[in-house]
Amino acid sequence: MAAPAAAAPLRAVAPWRDVLKRALGANRGVRHSRYVQLATVRPDGRPANRSVVYRGFLGEDSDVLTFVTDSRSRKIEEIAHCPWAEVAWYLPQTREQFRFLGRLTVVDAATEDAALQRGRLVAWKNMSDPGRQQFLWPHPGEPRGEDASVFKPEPPTGEDPVVDTFCLVCLTVEEVDHLSLAKNVRHRYVRGEGSEAGEAWQVQNVNP
Amino acid sequence: MAAPAAAAPLRAVAPWRDVLKRALGANRGVRHSRYVQLATVRPDGRPANRSVVYRGFLGEDSDVLTFVTDSRSRKIEEIAHCPWAEVAWYLPQTREQFRFLGRLTVVDAATEDAALQRGRLVAWKNMSDPGRQQFLWPHPGEPRGEDASVFKPEPPTGEDPVVDTFCLVCLTVEEVDHLSLAKNVRHRYVRGEGSEAGEAWQVQNVNP
């Protein structure tokens, strides 16, 4: 009887994953170190850019970066038109920048994939009460009315059902540019064609 | 004999100009408060995003935001292909965000417009010595060689001629989105068609 095959790795992780985790650890004293800037392309071809909060990897063994957004936000339409995005992330304590180029997937109330829907629920539970409350506010970007009470609905707790406007946004990364301004060192990571395995990432030391 | 016409205003300034100046003043204790994220569109239609340093208005009576870049940077090609950009700017001390949508103009060694060339010279003089030195480094983004001395050329001073790789990047703003996370207040400024006059800006109070 043959020996059992070695367990396949759950999922290989990208070589930049630990670099990012170390950087986040070194910057944990900076309250806004999880604020990143997410660039997308508008349906008319012009770029869009805004600050969003990084909400962690999709799971312990995942390289997918997650964010949340409101289903009524303009970026939903942008992503439907062009899924490509680049995140620019400046970490002030260590003076380093990450750029993550990849494709976005929006996970909304109608998404059927169970793992993605689980990620959406985890993100919902991890929000603060004021953070969850915002998803009950009136339509973002529309003219503001006189009635201030519409911004003070009863805040949902993490035990309440996920509200329909709450979306998880997942970035599947294809390229990473990591620049240390303190050390003047820059590395570029590019994922090999059609592979998600950590070994398939190419790393290059490039001029800053 | 008719009375002389009232002097035309040098140039009307946009209503968001003072809002930005106040925000910068209130955040001057944060060293990286002038780091902003500049989104452009790559020739293949995917977005690009990176941190750049805000270098001030093009002049005292101007609403044009300025940055600098290296002529060998990829953004030069991107801007030639699509001049539209959006700057996302998070100011941590006051917890507010500006988004500036507009068109970029690159001012390089060959630019003939005297006012723009003057702006380029002013930006060059305002750089630190290490900042100027970077424009003599090897080609950004290319594979890094073994020779460390190429990163240590004699740093040019502000009195030295502007090096050819030094470019000024000017953003002519068309729309501004100003969000205060502290106050949950958001204003959108949109410039009227074909006008540079301050009066032509429309301001709207919108839902955050």
Side-chain angles (χ1 to χ4, degrees):
Chain A
M1 190 175 158
L10 271 175
R11 186 167 162 187
V13 291
W16 48 264
R17 198 182 194 276
D18 281 346
V19 183
L20 175 61
K21 286 183 83 169
R22 268 198 301 275
L24 278 173
N27 285 271
R28 65 178 170 270
V30 184
R31 204 174 47 169
H32 56 280
S33 62
R34 289 180 164 244
Y35 283 38
V36 307
Q37 281 70 36
L38 175 72
T40 49
V41 179
R42 299 168 200 245
D44 66 8
R46 298 185 298 176
N49 203 6
R50 78 289 281 166
S51 302
V52 293
V53 178
Y54 168 62
R55 305 285 175 178
F57 289 106
L58 186 55
E60 273 312 304
D61 56 351
S62 162
D63 301 332
V64 173
L65 307 180
T66 68
F67 312 92
V68 304
T69 193
D70 191 297
S71 63
R72 300 163 296 175
S73 151
R74 285 198 190 164
K75 63 178 98 58
I76 298 291
E77 186 192 350
E78 291 162 8
I79 297 167
H81 188 268
C82 169
W84 286 94
E86 187 158 55
V87 164
W89 194 340
Y90 182 69
L91 292 154
Q93 192 83 29
T94 49
R95 300 186 60 228
E96 61 191 314
Q97 174 187 255
F98 289 89
R99 295 172 61 177
F100 294 103
L101 176 68
R103 266 174 285 203
L104 295 174
T105 305
V106 176
V107 185
D108 64 15
T111 300
E112 289 181 3
D113 184 295
L116 291 178
Q117 206 53 257
R118 202 156 46 238
R120 178 169 171 257
L121 180 63
V122 168
W124 173 255
K125 287 181 179 292
N126 285 339
M127 300 286 290
S128 66
D129 285 357
R132 276 186 290 262
Q133 186 187 40
Q134 296 184 3
F135 292 89
L136 297 175
W137 284 1
H139 198 300
E142 296 287 302
R144 188 171 188 142
E146 296 291 324
D147 181 5
S149 72
V150 295
F151 292 102
K152 291 169 185 162
E154 186 66 29
T157 73
E159 300 311 308
D160 287 320
V162 186
V163 304
D164 278 357
T165 53
F166 183 82
C167 300
L168 183 71
V169 178
C170 299
L171 181 68
T172 302
V173 179
E174 299 290 334
E175 286 183 34
V176 182
D177 190 304
H178 177 220
L179 169 68
S180 165
L181 292 176
K183 297 177 190 165
N184 281 329
V185 169
R186 182 177 174 192
H187 285 96
R188 186 179 294 142
Y189 301 78
V190 179
R191 190 156 84 168
E193 278 296 316
S195 169
E196 293 189 69
E199 295 87 330
W201 284 88
Q202 311 283 328
V203 190
Q204 197 171 33
N205 188 358
V206 299
N207 294 323
Chain B
M1 190 177 162
L10 271 175
R11 186 169 164 187
V13 292
W16 48 263
R17 197 182 194 277
D18 281 346
V19 182
L20 175 62
K21 287 183 84 169
R22 268 199 301 275
L24 279 172
N27 286 271
R28 64 177 172 272
V30 183
R31 203 175 49 168
H32 56 280
S33 62
R34 288 180 165 244
Y35 283 38
V36 307
Q37 282 70 36
L38 175 72
T40 50
V41 178
R42 299 168 199 244
D44 67 8
R46 297 185 298 176
N49 203 8
R50 78 289 280 165
S51 303
V52 294
V53 178
Y54 169 62
R55 305 286 175 180
F57 289 106
L58 185 56
E60 273 311 304
D61 58 352
S62 162
D63 301 331
V64 172
L65 307 181
T66 68
F67 312 93
V68 304
T69 193
D70 191 296
S71 63
R72 301 164 295 176
S73 151
R74 284 198 191 165
K75 63 178 99 56
I76 298 291
E77 186 193 351
E78 291 163 7
I79 297 167
H81 188 268
C82 170
W84 287 94
E86 187 159 54
V87 165
W89 194 341
Y90 182 69
L91 292 154
Q93 192 83 29
T94 49
R95 301 187 58 228
E96 61 191 314
Q97 174 187 253
F98 289 89
R99 296 171 62 177
F100 294 104
L101 176 68
R103 266 174 287 205
L104 295 174
T105 305
V106 176
V107 186
D108 64 16
T111 300
E112 289 181 3
D113 184 295
L116 291 178
Q117 206 54 257
R118 201 156 48 238
R120 178 170 171 256
L121 180 63
V122 168
W124 171 256
K125 288 181 179 292
N126 285 341
M127 300 286 291
S128 66
D129 285 0
R132 276 185 290 262
Q133 186 187 40
Q134 297 184 0
F135 292 88
L136 297 174
W137 284 0
H139 198 300
E142 295 286 303
R144 188 171 188 142
E146 296 291 323
D147 181 5
S149 72
V150 294
F151 292 102
K152 290 167 186 164
E154 187 65 32
T157 73
E159 301 311 307
D160 287 319
V162 186
V163 303
D164 277 357
T165 53
F166 183 82
C167 299
L168 184 71
V169 178
C170 299
L171 181 69
T172 303
V173 179
E174 299 290 334
E175 286 182 35
V176 182
D177 189 304
H178 176 221
L179 170 67
S180 165
L181 292 176
K183 297 177 189 163
N184 281 329
V185 169
R186 182 177 174 192
H187 286 96
R188 185 178 294 141
Y189 301 78
V190 179
R191 190 155 83 168
E193 279 295 316
S195 170
E196 294 188 70
E199 296 87 329
W201 285 88
Q202 309 284 329
V203 190
Q204 198 171 31
N205 187 0
V206 299
N207 294 324

